[in-house]
Amino acid sequence: MKIKKQLIINELIMNCSEIIFICPLWWNDLPAILKGFIDKVMKKNFAYESTSTGVKGKLTHIKQAKIITTSISPTWYIRLFAGDAIKSVFLKATLKQIGIKNSKWINLGSIDKLTDQRRKVFLNSL
């Protein structure tokens, strides 16, 4: 069963032109379940290959990735004081290494302080 699910996921990825990741931020970073997904799905010889000069991405057909997150911390805090892991690691390293060069991070920060109306405005802006 696991192999069948893997093949279905691989086929979906090979037939898409955009990929969207939606998750909350945990301690200013992606949650472990998303990191596990990347580890299990974006495997060598599927998403990338090793070359003499490093990793070469194979998912170059994906024209854009969007990462939509929510966080308790304000977005400016994550970017300026918490290391900006989403941009510096996930967008500029992980996604680029699998061949996705165009990516965008959209975060709704201070989620615990926002009204339902503000959350709806955010969702409608996507």
Side-chain angles (χ1 to χ4, degrees):
M1 190 62 137
K2 285 183 180 181
I3 293 173
K4 186 175 181 181
K5 285 181 185 178
Q6 181 72 44
L7 292 174
I8 292 169
I9 292 169
N10 288 1
E11 184 177 340
L12 288 170
I13 291 170
M14 292 308 293
N15 290 311
C16 75
S17 60
E18 182 176 10
I19 191 166
I20 301 170
F21 299 94
I22 303 171
C23 63
L25 295 183
W26 289 87
W27 296 107
N28 308 303
D29 200 357
L30 299 174
I33 194 166
L34 181 53
K35 291 179 181 183
F37 173 82
I38 297 295
D39 288 346
K40 290 180 181 184
V41 173
M42 304 303 180
K43 294 186 178 208
K44 185 176 181 180
N45 299 322
F46 169 69
Y48 70 93
E49 61 186 344
S50 294
T51 69
S52 59
T53 57
V55 174
K56 179 181 178 191
K58 295 179 77 172
L59 301 181
T60 56
H61 67 282
I62 299 176
K63 300 302 176 202
Q64 181 176 20
K66 287 184 186 170
I67 297 78
I68 302 169
T69 59
T70 59
S71 63
I72 291 175
S73 297
T75 305
W76 61 264
Y77 177 84
I78 295 166
R79 288 189 171 150
L80 296 175
F81 298 107
D84 203 3
I86 306 307
K87 184 177 178 185
S88 64
V89 177
F90 192 61
L91 274 61
K92 288 189 171 185
T94 304
L95 293 180
K96 279 193 176 181
Q97 285 183 306
I98 61 174
I100 303 172
K101 294 187 177 16
N102 184 21
S103 57
K104 182 178 183 179
W105 174 41
I106 305 163
N107 184 58
L108 180 60
S110 303
I111 189 82
D112 59 334
K113 295 176 178 64
L114 300 178
T115 64
D116 286 343
Q117 179 59 33
R118 177 60 183 98
R119 292 175 186 161
K120 287 177 186 176
V121 168
F122 173 77
L123 289 172
N124 289 330
S125 73
L126 301 173

